Amino acid sequence: MEVVIVPDAQAGGELIAEAMAALLRRKPDALLGVATGSTPLPVYEALTAKVRAGEVDVSRARVCQLDEYVGLPADHPESYRSTVLRQVVEPLGLPASSFMGPDGTAEDVQAACEAYDRALPAAGGVDLQLLGIGTDGHIGFNEPCSSLASRTRIKTLTEQTRVDNARFFDGDIDQVPHHVITQGIGTILEARHLVLLATGEGKADAVAASVEGPVAALVPASALQLHPHATVVVDEAAASKLKLADYFRHTYANKPVWQGL
């Protein structure tokens, strides 16, 4: 696992966007796994700026969802399908056909989970999966004590996650669904490159537990320690609880340029 400490969220967004751009230059039809929420917005904004400046061609790029609310209409403004279309697909000028995600409105939710889990490897696998992290250490919607071998499935959200997400529903927790479809931890670990972005002091404890603590189902993001190519990008506030922060700064400062992110 590589830990990169950046000055702020904007710097983190630029760094990850350049990694995505470099990937697309090598592999124009790369499958990018995207996350939702406020944290990854600087990444999408920076990547969009690169596209508009002609620095990278994304015409053949593909995008896939990490998770989706169950029962929320696909056209609901806070469904993750709508969010990804609004924040990623449309700004990048990608066609709707470039996008894939689970069906949160399916009559048979379990079948929809299994279908999406099969669809990802059938599409060639995820080349780079962008992740956020919850205050309790969850990735995707794999809440604490999720199996580290879990596959795409339905999950019940913790009350804390619903409280955290209520800000997207006018602060009304009653509007936040109780269930979601999420890629499992085992599914996430199959991506070729995992990039986790965390910003703000509120994520500091979760980052420290994930990076420096033991691999444990209680902290789902700690599973990134098992991945051969995992990168954790954190701003100074999110890095504030890391015991090895100085070492991480030193290793990144002396990293060979040819290694990339």
Side-chain angles (χ1 to χ4, degrees):
M1 176 187 290
E2 179 181 27
V3 179
V4 182
I5 301 174
V6 295
D8 51 35
Q10 185 176 358
E14 177 61 34
L15 183 69
I16 297 171
E18 180 51 38
M20 289 180 169
L23 168 63
L24 289 165
R25 293 181 192 116
R26 298 192 306 270
K27 186 177 181 180
D29 64 345
L31 179 57
L32 303 176
V34 296
T36 52
S38 55
T39 300
L41 289 178
V43 177
Y44 307 143
E45 291 166 357
L47 184 58
T48 298
K50 290 179 182 298
V51 172
R52 292 176 178 170
E55 297 177 19
V56 61
D57 179 6
V58 298
S59 60
R60 295 170 57 195
R62 296 169 297 152
V63 174
C64 64
Q65 272 178 262
L66 184 61
D67 40 36
E68 182 58 275
Y69 287 115
V70 169
L72 209 60
D75 60 354
H76 188 287
E78 295 307 326
S79 77
Y80 286 151
R81 176 175 291 270
S82 291
T83 301
V84 170
L85 289 173
R86 183 173 64 248
Q87 295 180 351
V88 184
V89 175
E90 293 171 2
L92 293 179
L94 299 175
S97 59
S98 69
F99 171 74
M100 58 190 296
D103 184 0
T105 62
E107 185 173 334
D108 187 338
V109 178
Q110 182 59 34
C113 294
E114 294 170 0
Y116 190 53
D117 207 67
R118 292 191 301 269
L120 293 172
V126 180
D127 291 292
L128 185 154
Q129 176 64 60
L130 179 61
L131 299 165
I133 185 171
T135 55
D136 57 5
H138 74 254
I139 50 174
F141 274 125
N142 295 285
E143 299 286 20
C145 288
S146 292
S147 167
L148 301 186
S150 55
R151 309 300 304 179
T152 302
R153 69 212 187 286
I154 185 171
K155 285 291 291 182
T156 301
L157 298 181
T158 64
E159 196 67 7
Q160 183 59 56
T161 297
R162 294 182 69 239
V163 168
D164 290 345
N165 285 6
R167 69 187 189 278
F168 299 113
F169 292 83
D170 299 322
D172 184 1
I173 191 173
D174 292 333
Q175 294 186 43
V176 182
H178 284 272
H179 298 99
V180 293
I181 292 174
T182 185
Q183 287 186 37
I185 297 174
T187 308
I188 290 170
L189 290 176
E190 290 178 352
R192 296 179 181 88
H193 186 189
L194 298 178
V195 181
L196 187 150
L197 175 63
T199 56
E201 188 177 359
K203 300 296 179 69
D205 286 323
V207 167
S210 300
V211 171
E212 298 177 337
V215 175
L218 188 62
V219 185
S222 66
L224 270 68
Q225 295 182 38
L226 303 173
H227 197 277
H229 190 189
T231 307
V232 176
V233 180
V234 291
D235 68 359
E236 291 289 349
S240 61
K241 299 291 181 69
L242 289 172
K243 296 177 182 178
L244 297 177
D246 288 342
Y247 173 69
F248 297 139
R249 292 187 182 95
H250 175 76
T251 55
Y252 186 69
N254 292 278
K255 182 179 180 177
V257 174
W258 55 265
Q259 282 189 331
L261 188 63

